[in-house]
């Protein structure tokens, strides 16, 4: 959204929906790195392509990593710029790790900001968060079982 034409949609949205609320989900950049690192290790057996054949084999992944870093930084800058154009009461940022670690507290705050009620099932101390209809087991880039190869070699 660095070009003026990219803002047209958001400016029109503000005119059409006077009380628009923007929910911005943020992922910890360390989680992005950890996730990519786990995928890299799973695919290549190590993070460090020291053998000449491995350097060429891992080059596409290295290029993808640089692109992801650039795209993430650009997106953060553009979201910051967009947020500054709005009334702060229209914009709410939720950290994804807060949803994962403190589900009820985060959802209560979010639903209050949205001015909607929460699902009463969430109040049950035995409530199990689901993903795609199945119990969410907390799989994340920080857990070792997400990574198939934890030895650093093949």
């Amino acid at each position: 959204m660095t070009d003026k034409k990219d803002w047209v949609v958001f400016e029109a949205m503000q005119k059409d929906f006077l009380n628009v609320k923007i929910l911005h989900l943020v992922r910890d950049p360390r989680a992005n790195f950890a996730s990519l690192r786990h995928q890299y290790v799973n695919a290549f057996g190590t993070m460090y392509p020291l053998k000449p054949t491995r350097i060429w084999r891992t080059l596409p992944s290295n290029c993808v990593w640089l692109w992801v870093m650039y795209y993430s930084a650009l997106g953060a800058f553009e979201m910051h710029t967009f947020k500054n154009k709005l009334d702060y009461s229209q914009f709410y940022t939720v950290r994804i790790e807060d949803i994962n670690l403190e589900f009820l507290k985060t959802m209560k705050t979010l639903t209050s900001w949205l001015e909607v009620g929460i699902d009463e099932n969430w109040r049950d101390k035995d409530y199990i968060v689901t993903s795609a209809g199945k119990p969410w087991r907390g799989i994340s880039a920080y857990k070792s079982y997400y990574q198939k190869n934890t030895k650093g070699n093949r």
Side-chain angles (χ1 to χ4, degrees), residues 51-116:
K51 297 178 184 174
T53 56
R54 191 175 289 145
I55 291 171
W56 293 112
R57 192 172 58 153
T58 61
L59 187 61
S61 292
N62 292 331
C63 293
V64 167
W65 170 240
L66 291 173
W67 181 84
V68 167
M69 285 178 36
Y70 167 77
Y71 185 75
S72 296
L74 181 63
F77 172 76
E78 290 177 346
M79 194 50 74
H80 174 75
T81 303
F82 177 62
K83 184 177 181 179
N84 287 334
K85 289 183 170 231
L86 291 174
D87 174 352
Y88 275 22
S89 67
Q90 294 177 280
F91 197 92
Y92 189 76
T93 300
V94 175
R95 297 178 339 152
I96 292 174
E97 58 267 22
D98 289 343
I99 295 172
N100 295 338
L101 298 173
E102 298 184 84
F103 179 77
L104 184 57
K105 178 182 174 187
T106 303
M107 295 311 289
K108 281 181 178 179
T109 305
L110 175 60
T111 56
S112 174
W113 176 74
L114 288 170
E115 299 175 18
V116 298

Side-chain angles (χ1 to χ4, degrees), residues 28-41:
D28 185 330
R30 294 171 299 175
N32 286 341
F33 175 79
S35 178
L36 288 170
R37 181 184 175 282
H38 286 302
Q39 292 174 27
Y40 199 96
V41 171

Side-chain angles (χ1 to χ4, degrees), residues 4-65:
K4 175 66 177 157
K5 66 181 168 54
D6 294 331
W7 293 101
V8 171
V9 171
F10 292 107
E11 290 169 352
M13 183 176 59
Q14 284 182 285
K15 290 177 186 171
D16 291 345
F17 305 100
L18 299 178
N19 297 320
V20 68
K21 292 186 176 189
I22 307 294
L23 177 61
H24 179 213
L25 291 174
V26 177
R27 186 176 190 201
D28 185 330
R30 294 171 299 175
N32 286 341
F33 175 79
S35 178
L36 288 170
R37 181 184 175 282
H38 286 302
Q39 292 174 27
Y40 199 96
V41 171
N42 287 340
F44 301 110
T46 181
M47 247 330 257
Y48 309 102
L50 300 176
K51 297 178 184 174
T53 56
R54 191 175 289 145
I55 291 171
W56 293 112
R57 192 172 58 153
T58 61
L59 187 61
S61 292
N62 292 331
C63 293
V64 167
W65 170 240

